[in-house]
């Protein structure tokens, strides 16, 4: 999973925590932008639900012996000073090559290195982040109105991205660049984040999976015990859970367990 942006008001920490509590895994890969240091430096407030998520993650490490790999993103680039870092079951790194059950190799990386603005113009990226925060604030008020009218959630920011040609072109080029990196690392696929756009597609001969985010889409990449991988939305995962269609520990390495929010 990626792009939780803990430390921001719009982080869906409780939903992410509930998702984790219903998943049993030997390994959890956090693909960057987990803690939003940029927002915290602007005065954003760390909330109790953010602490509850961290506690849930720590409990999985301690009680279930889960290995956690934290890959630094651009919003938590402060971690760059400490890389590589290893403490018990926690590892922090820039990238990680995951060997899937079926033998395929997947390069896990946040992906901000292929965003020229994030890489070369940090001040402009931070300005864009501030603009995104404002858009999310507008989104909150708009969806309160929609909820009052009995309508479903509607992402204003995603709608804007989908209609702006430059944003669509950026995502296409971003995927192509990640594909070339995967080939360079001799990997069969790549798992990334950064663009807040969940995906599961083939780019050339490389499988491209994007974790999405836990600000709006609420999605993650799951690997099952038979080697299957998929990008799943939280709402779909919870529906499967309700109908008992997520499998068991024998069926899947990463599958729902027990527990509540």
């Amino acid at each position: 999973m990626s792009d939780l942006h803990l430390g921001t008001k719009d982080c869906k920490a409780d939903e992410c925590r509930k998702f984790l509590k219903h998943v049993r895994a030997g390994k959890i890969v956090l693909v960057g932008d987990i803690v939003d240091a940029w927002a915290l430096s602007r005065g954003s407030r760390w909330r109790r639900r953010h602490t509850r998520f961290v506690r849930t993650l720590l409990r999985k490490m301690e009680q279930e012996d889960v290995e956690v790999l934290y890959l630094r993103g651009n919003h938590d680039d402060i971690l760059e000073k400490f890389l590589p870092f290893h403490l018990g079951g926690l590892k922090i790194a820039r990238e990680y090559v995951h060997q899937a059950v079926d033998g395929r190799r997947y390069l896990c990386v946040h992906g901000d290195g292929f965003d020229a603005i994030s890489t070369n113009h940090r001040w402009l990226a931070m300005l864009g982040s501030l603009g995104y925060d404002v858009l999310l604030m507008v989104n909150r008020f708009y969806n309160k109105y929609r909820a009052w009218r009995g309508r479903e959630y509607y992402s204003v920011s995603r709608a804007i991205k989908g209609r702006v040609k430059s944003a669509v072109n950026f995502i296409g080029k971003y995927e192509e660049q990640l594909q070339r990196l995967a080939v360079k690392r001799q990997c069969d696929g790549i798992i990334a984040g950064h663009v807040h756009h969940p995906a599961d597609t083939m780019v050339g001969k490389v499988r491209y999976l994007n974790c999405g985010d836990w600000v709006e889409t609420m999605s993650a990449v799951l690997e099952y015990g038979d080697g299957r991988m998929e990008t799943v939305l939280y709402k779909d995962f919870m529906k499967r859970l309700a109908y008992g269609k997520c499998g068991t520990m024998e069926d899947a390495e990463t599958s729902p367990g027990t527990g509540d929010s």
Side-chain angles (χ1 to χ4, degrees), residues 128 131-139 142-143 153-171 195-197 216:
Y132 182 59
D133 290 345
V134 172
L135 191 57
L136 288 174
M137 181 178 66
V138 172
N139 203 50
Y142 177 60
N143 278 287
Y153 177 88
Y154 179 80
S155 173
V156 176
S157 62
R158 290 196 73 193
I160 292 174
K161 285 180 184 178
R163 287 170 171 77
V164 177
K165 185 176 180 181
S166 59
V168 175
N169 289 341
F170 166 76
I171 291 175
V195 293
H196 293 208
H197 186 76
E216 293 186 271

Side-chain angles (χ1 to χ4, degrees), residues 83-229:
L83 301 181
F85 180 81
H86 185 191
L87 180 63
L90 173 66
K91 296 179 182 177
I92 304 177
R94 293 183 185 85
E95 60 182 53
Y96 165 71
V97 175
H98 172 66
Q99 183 85 36
V101 176
D102 60 7
R104 296 180 182 178
R105 287 161 46 90
Y106 288 84
L107 176 65
C108 302
V109 61
H110 183 63
D112 59 293
F114 295 99
D115 183 343
I117 292 177
S118 294
T119 305
N120 303 319
H121 306 284
R122 191 173 185 269
W123 68 271
L124 191 56
M126 294 185 76
L127 184 62
S129 176
L130 182 60
Y132 182 59
D133 290 345
V134 172
L135 191 57
L136 288 174
M137 181 178 66
V138 172
N139 203 50
R140 282 198 303 272
F141 286 111
Y142 177 60
N143 278 287
K144 283 182 180 179
Y145 169 74
R146 288 181 64 86
W148 177 67
R149 295 290 301 274
R151 297 181 178 180
E152 293 183 351
Y153 177 88
Y154 179 80
S155 173
V156 176
S157 62
R158 290 196 73 193
I160 292 174
K161 285 180 184 178
R163 287 170 171 77
V164 177
K165 185 176 180 181
S166 59
V168 175
N169 289 341
F170 166 76
I171 291 175
K173 292 178 181 178
Y174 176 79
E175 293 174 357
E176 292 174 3
Q177 290 174 316
L178 287 174
Q179 179 242 6
R180 287 195 287 269
L181 179 63
V183 172
K184 186 177 180 180
R185 296 284 194 276
Q186 298 181 323
C187 291
D188 305 288
I190 191 158
I191 301 173
H194 187 57
V195 293
H196 293 208
H197 186 76
D200 181 359
T201 186
M202 295 298 295
V203 182
K205 295 182 179 180
V206 172
R207 186 176 182 184
Y208 166 73
L209 295 138
N210 195 292
C211 303
D213 68 277
W214 288 87
V215 176
E216 293 186 271
T217 58
M218 293 188 289
S219 56
V221 173
L222 295 178
E223 178 189 2
Y224 296 91
D226 58 4
R228 288 180 298 120
M229 278 197 175

